[in-house]
Amino acid sequence: MKENNIMACLPAGRIVSATGLLMLLWAFGSYVIYVFTSPNVPVCFPPLTGCVAISTAGTHGEIASIFYRATVLPAASFLGISAYLVIQYLSSLGLPASTALAKVRFLIGVVLTPLFLAIAEAILNGYSTTGVLEELHVLFSGLAFLGIILFELMVAYQLLKLEASPVNKLLFCLPACALLFGLLGGSVFNSRVVEWNVFVLVAFWLVFIGRKVSLSPRFGVTQAV
């Protein structure tokens, strides 16, 4: 008799890692296109200098905005899918959370985070906004990334309790640093530097957790009984 993991038919780890890479492509790819297709654009490494906001390319560069919108919505969808896959991975390790915590984790990772990100970018719709619309964009963007960070912390904490390995410590440090940077970084750096670095940290977490899922012999495999 054979028993299949619920996600055995999907390359779960690769999907999760690809989601992190897609997020990086969305942000950095939009900025690079913006630099090459629009005049008088500051050239820099945004996480260090914060010369432009992530959304600037999506609202100021005609060609860059097409690329921006073509990548942000798939990224939002795959965030929800990746969160579901990671939850399945935790279950395969024998790490089910309490009923209440499991529901909160699912709600944040699978439902609210991708929804908030989609709403935030739908408000922009390729155009620079001011006033209430700009405030709503900032609000929903902030909620989306807070959701990503909280989900990553909850997952990483469970993994760290299971085994205090270097990889699990890294997986905990990435969202922890993102949270601290988001809360305290504004007192030292401009808001765009904070935005870029939080973005990079949460995206790298997805890449690393996806790699961990791919290497797990207990997830996505068929076991003979």
Side-chain angles (χ1 to χ4, degrees), residues 26 54-59 68-69 118-130 133-138 141:
W26 153 37
I54 293 174
S55 61
T56 297
T59 55
Y68 183 95
R69 284 178 286 170
I119 291 173
E121 300 307 327
I123 290 171
L124 290 181
N125 195 28
Y127 297 96
S128 179
T129 59
T130 58
L133 289 179
E134 175 64 19
E135 292 176 1
L136 286 174
H137 167 70
V138 172
S141 295

Side-chain angles (χ1 to χ4, degrees), residues 12-13 16 85-86 89 208-217 219:
V16 177
L85 293 172
V86 169
Y89 167 67
F208 287 121
I209 191 69
R211 178 65 174 167
K212 185 176 180 68
V213 171
S214 295
L215 295 175
S216 173
F219 186 71

Side-chain angles (χ1 to χ4, degrees), residues 66-77:
I66 296 173
F67 179 86
Y68 183 95
R69 284 178 286 170
T71 49
V72 66
L73 292 180
S77 299

Side-chain angles (χ1 to χ4, degrees), residues 107-194:
L107 182 64
I108 291 175
V110 180
V111 180
L112 293 181
T113 291
L115 177 63
F116 287 154
L117 182 57
I119 291 173
E121 300 307 327
I123 290 171
L124 290 181
N125 195 28
Y127 297 96
S128 179
T129 59
T130 58
V132 175
L133 289 179
E134 175 64 19
E135 292 176 1
L136 286 174
H137 167 70
V138 172
L139 172 63
F140 280 103
S141 295
L143 289 174
F145 280 94
L146 178 60
I148 297 173
I149 293 170
L150 291 178
F151 176 81
E152 292 181 355
L153 278 173
M154 286 188 285
V155 171
Y157 178 69
Q158 279 196 281
L159 290 173
L160 197 59
K161 285 200 304 180
L162 176 68
E163 180 186 8
S165 67
V167 173
N168 288 345
K169 290 178 181 178
L170 174 64
L171 288 172
F172 184 81
C173 286
L174 287 173
C177 289
L179 182 61
L180 290 175
F181 206 83
L183 293 175
L184 306 175
S187 61
V188 180
F189 306 101
N190 67 54
S191 61
R192 296 185 297 275
V193 170
V194 174

